[in-house]
Amino acid sequence: MRLFSVSLPLTGQTAQGLIIQYIPPVMSRIFAFLLSVTALVYVLSSCGTKTDTHQHSAPPAQTVEVNTDFLKNLKFPPTILYAGLEKPTDTTVSTTKPKTVPTGMIYIQGGVVQIGSDEGLEQERPSFWAKVNSFWMDTHPVTVGEFRKFVQATHFQTEAEKFGNAGIIDESTDRQWILKDGANWHHPMGPDFPAAADDHPVTQVSWNDANAYAQWAGKRLPCELEWEHAARNARNSRSIYPWGNDIQTKGQYNANIWQGKFPVKNANEDGFAYTSPVGKFGKTPLGLTDMSGNVWEWQSNLKFNYEALFRTGTRDGDLSAERAQRGGSFLCEPGWCHGYRVSGRSSSTSETSLFHVGFRCVKDVE
């Protein structure tokens, strides 16, 4: 069975509800139509609102410093040394930078960081403190060329290739989400579009595909706390974006995002309708690229409610069945999806492949 989902970051809702079995490609267009209708209904019902998607009739639970059982279920890596509402008094982390730098990676100095935003969407609240140990992070998202080396070495077949289709927004159907026959990491928009360029981030890879690549490369996927620590430049920067508070500098865009009214018109003022070469829009102070826009990036952890960390007990929806994503993409437009903010979040099921989702890896400091 295949559960395909497209998150709507404006509200934190998910357009899913479509379980797709492995079926012959000739039938996939029927399911694609159903998926596009499902997604459109969610979009129309949520535009212009910030809906609380986790409403409960039960009275508020008692607030605690941290729900240790819930924290344990998140299965964060050992680099996460603390999570709590209060800033930790012990801020000690590893500070010795190794002399040998892994190829294509940046050293992320450990430190204390405030995760989330109390001014953000419901899924970004409440903000809380974390202590993160040092780690390595890929300078940029994994590219098509890098993913090709993995496939050639292992003969790996992605889930989009196995299912015979993957998710895109189809311009011929009023820009609705469809499952496009033949769309995969080679041809993210489908076989009737040009092949993906080697220096662009690889897309149409599921979380399972990304995790397989990371293991092959001797790395792993980052968790959300590591990713946000890096996006805040390892110094708890409170800027909206990794580079500051303005989406443009001297009239030039700092990220590959959507310009215009989504999904009606993309003015392409940044020069790209879809993905762009990694590094095209400059570097963060740490030297990372593409931390905002271009493609959403898979995270290791399941998406979770921040609020659930700090109360007793659990409720339905506290821990999603979907994997978290960070960074926003070329589809993000503030009126619909302002996901390229540092605190922005999204998610999809582990087997979902989309034309605006990729990944980057991290590695523990030895």
Side-chain angles (χ1 to χ4, degrees):
M1 303 292 284
R2 180 190 188 190
L3 181 59
F4 188 94
S5 66
V6 181
S7 183
L8 306 177
L10 176 65
T11 63
Q13 292 177 328
T14 300
Q16 54 173 47
L18 182 63
I19 298 177
I20 306 172
Q21 295 183 353
Y22 185 31
I23 56 176
V26 69
M27 292 294 293
S28 67
R29 293 189 183 277
I30 298 175
F31 290 101
F33 172 75
L34 293 175
L35 177 64
S36 65
V37 171
T38 303
L40 181 60
V41 168
Y42 272 101
V43 170
L44 293 178
S45 65
S46 63
C47 281
T49 65
K50 294 184 179 179
T51 306
D52 182 354
T53 60
H54 300 290
Q55 296 177 352
H56 308 279
S57 58
Q62 179 183 358
T63 300
V64 295
E65 176 58 26
V66 65
N67 185 334
T68 54
D69 290 336
F70 186 75
L71 183 62
K72 187 182 300 183
N73 288 336
L74 295 176
K75 299 179 180 179
F76 285 143
T79 49
I80 306 304
L81 305 176
Y82 169 88
L85 287 172
E86 301 296 328
K87 187 175 182 178
T89 55
D90 179 7
T91 59
T92 305
V93 295
S94 173
T95 57
T96 303
K97 182 178 179 179
K99 295 181 179 180
T100 303
V101 179
T103 302
M105 304 194 85
I106 297 290
Y107 180 72
I108 309 299
Q109 173 66 56
V112 172
V113 59
Q114 194 171 17
I115 301 295
S117 171
D118 291 325
E119 290 74 44
L121 302 181
E122 185 267 345
Q123 62 180 348
E124 301 165 26
R125 307 191 305 263
S127 62
F128 63 94
W129 290 92
K131 185 166 75 168
V132 184
N133 220 344
S134 304
F135 59 95
W136 299 102
M137 176 175 263
D138 284 348
T139 303
H140 53 71
V142 173
T143 64
V144 172
E146 290 169 333
F147 195 79
R148 179 177 289 108
K149 293 178 181 178
F150 160 61
V151 171
Q152 291 174 342
T154 64
H155 305 290
F156 184 82
Q157 188 177 32
T158 63
E159 292 193 291
E161 291 171 301
K162 293 176 183 177
F163 286 113
N165 52 44
I168 71 167
I169 287 184
D170 187 11
E171 296 184 7
S172 66
T173 58
D174 296 327
R175 296 185 183 273
Q176 296 180 32
W177 282 103
I178 68 166
L179 285 174
K180 176 72 172 181
D181 291 341
N184 54 47
W185 70 274
H186 298 282
H187 291 83
M189 291 293 294
D192 46 344
F193 280 76
D198 276 3
D199 61 350
H200 284 228
V202 68
T203 61
Q204 297 296 19
V205 285
S206 69
W207 182 91
N208 296 319
D209 300 332
N211 193 49
Y213 174 95
Q215 292 181 1
W216 170 80
K219 304 176 183 179
R220 58 180 175 82
L221 297 178
C223 75
E224 285 191 88
L225 276 58
E226 290 174 310
W227 190 96
E228 188 162 335
H229 176 60
R232 295 191 183 280
N233 295 303
R235 54 181 175 82
N236 196 32
S237 167
R238 304 317 296 170
S239 298
I240 298 173
Y241 311 112
W243 58 82
N245 293 320
D246 298 316
I247 192 60
Q248 295 186 62
T249 301
K250 297 181 179 179
Q252 299 296 314
Y253 279 91
N254 293 312
N256 177 5
I257 59 171
W258 185 285
Q259 294 89 41
K261 185 177 181 180
F262 184 88
V264 179
K265 173 69 174 178
N266 187 354
N268 296 335
E269 295 171 5
D270 59 13
F272 296 93
Y274 303 109
T275 59
S276 53
V278 296
K280 181 68 176 180
F281 290 84
K283 299 179 179 180
T284 71
L286 288 182
L288 301 169
T289 75
D290 304 274
M291 291 293 282
S292 287
N294 212 359
V295 294
W296 285 99
E297 298 179 9
W298 286 113
Q299 305 294 294
S300 64
N301 61 278
L302 295 170
K303 189 179 179 184
F304 65 99
N305 288 345
Y306 288 175
E307 187 249 348
L309 277 173
F310 309 109
R311 57 170 160 74
T312 58
T314 57
R315 298 170 177 167
D316 290 342
D318 279 347
L319 186 61
S320 172
E322 299 189 344
R323 296 287 176 174
Q325 299 162 351
R326 287 301 198 103
S329 79
F330 61 82
L331 286 182
C332 282
E333 181 270 314
W336 181 80
C337 160
H338 204 171
Y340 50 91
R341 292 170 298 112
V342 170
S343 58
R345 307 174 75 199
S346 187
S347 64
S348 292
T349 59
S350 297
E351 59 269 35
T352 292
S353 305
L354 298 167
F355 77 139
H356 68 321
V357 177
F359 68 100
R360 80 175 73 210
C361 300
V362 296
K363 187 173 184 177
D364 295 330
V365 174
E366 298 177 353

